[in-house]
Amino acid sequence: MADRDSSVPLSPIWLVLLGILSVQFGAAVAKTLFDEVSPTTIVWLRLVTSAVVLVAIARPALRGRTRIDWQVMLAFGLALGLMNWSFYQAMARIPIGLAVTIEFIGPLTLAVFGSRRARDLIWVALAGLGVVLLGVQPGALNWAGVGFALLAAATWAAYILLSAQTGRRWQGVDGLALASVVATLLLSPLTFGQYADQLVDARILLLGALVGLLSSVIPYTCELVALRSLRPAVFSILMSLEPAVAALAAFVVVGEVLEPLQLVAMACVVVASVGATRSGATISEPVPD
């Protein structure tokens, strides 16, 4: 059984909530740049910032690792890169509320299959209702955007599972740091092949680094630590806050005004998340090896 990391002052619940807040405000900042640069450029800047910062902090030890350790880390890096790239591509083509709603299919599916209590399914259903309401927006549907959002959903589910495994096999944030390097290398040929001219603007580089800190370094570190003692299914339910926080970040950063239906949706996901966090026995139960 995996032990809770007593050196972390915050509970795993608060770590997840901090990560959600950070990643959504980072996404809102990124969305303001899409008129100037490609989403791929912003994702690459986000990932390279994460890789540089985390490798400098962790200085990951490479010796003594098993083949399984490396395989898990490489898979984690692949999921990390594809998740970020596909979500930003979706967000550039369809409304952010719809993109988050479709992406949420991934963790929500994990919550349904991982739940052991009937009342947890009630919270999942309520959260699902909330994200569906939040994603209801007028306008033509861009099927490429939907496809990218579905890819983001699948890779988000893979990220949750692989993050838990990586956190158990690699000390501290070593696995996350190396996975960020893998994700950066994965997108580098596309970035430098088509969008190299977008990397010469100092302002874009600085804002991209800010997005990287908010959307990668802070949230992924919080989630990696939290998932050492938090079940993936419970983590998935907590992530139902994502649409509500995304709406809040869009209002603060972009000036988006919420409609009454969106307020109802936010109430649904907040209540579902509170219900999940009050299931103390489920949340505190460690994840088996």
Side-chain angles (χ1 to χ4, degrees):
M1 304 287 284
D3 297 325
R4 184 185 299 277
D5 189 349
S6 59
S7 65
V8 179
L10 293 179
S11 73
I13 293 172
W14 284 109
L15 285 172
V16 172
L17 294 178
L18 175 61
I20 290 172
L21 189 66
S22 182
V23 74
Q24 291 305 330
F25 272 87
V29 173
K31 192 172 179 65
T32 66
L33 302 174
F34 285 173
D35 290 336
E36 302 178 60
V37 295
S38 164
T40 299
T41 300
I42 299 301
V43 172
W44 186 85
L45 289 171
R46 168 181 173 174
L47 290 172
V48 75
T49 300
S50 173
V52 170
V53 172
L54 291 176
V55 168
I57 293 174
R59 296 182 181 179
L62 305 182
R63 294 184 179 181
R65 296 295 177 184
T66 66
R67 184 176 64 178
I68 299 299
D69 291 342
W70 287 106
Q71 289 176 344
V72 169
M73 185 277 295
L74 290 172
F76 184 36
L78 177 62
L80 184 63
L82 286 177
M83 177 183 67
N84 284 288
W85 179 78
S86 57
F87 177 70
Y88 275 55
Q89 292 294 331
M91 194 166 60
R93 290 169 171 81
I94 59 178
I96 188 171
L98 181 57
V100 173
T101 298
I102 297 172
E103 188 192 28
F104 191 76
I105 292 173
L108 188 60
T109 299
L110 286 184
V112 171
F113 284 99
S115 177
R116 297 182 178 180
R117 298 182 179 184
R119 67 180 180 183
D120 290 337
L121 294 178
I122 295 175
W123 303 129
V124 169
L126 184 59
L129 173 62
V131 296
V132 168
L133 290 175
L134 192 62
V136 174
Q137 299 185 27
L141 199 63
N142 183 297
W143 289 107
V146 171
F148 280 120
L150 287 172
L151 177 59
T155 50
W156 192 5
Y159 162 80
I160 293 171
L161 296 175
L162 290 167
S163 179
Q165 293 185 44
T166 302
R168 292 189 217 107
R169 291 184 174 276
W170 293 80
Q171 182 180 3
V173 295
D174 286 11
L176 176 60
L178 293 173
S180 297
V181 173
V182 171
T184 301
L185 294 175
L186 179 69
L187 289 182
S188 290
L190 178 60
T191 303
F192 287 100
Q194 296 187 23
Y195 309 111
D197 59 321
Q198 298 178 354
L199 298 174
V200 297
D201 188 330
R203 172 177 162 272
I204 295 299
L205 294 179
L206 288 175
L207 288 174
L210 175 62
V211 171
L213 290 173
L214 290 174
S215 297
S216 291
V217 176
I218 295 174
Y220 293 152
T221 301
C222 289
E223 292 168 8
L224 188 69
V225 174
L227 280 167
R228 291 174 181 165
S229 56
L230 195 67
R231 287 191 176 278
V234 178
F235 174 84
S236 299
I237 298 173
L238 288 174
M239 296 302 282
S240 62
L241 275 173
E242 290 274 10
V245 178
L248 174 63
F251 173 75
V252 173
V253 178
V254 186
E256 182 181 87
V257 178
L258 297 177
E259 300 293 334
L261 186 62
Q262 293 175 318
L263 293 175
V264 173
M266 289 178 60
C268 288
V269 295
V270 168
V271 170
S273 295
V274 170
T277 56
R278 288 179 64 86
S279 299
T282 303
I283 290 171
S284 62
E285 185 176 358
V287 182
D289 290 330

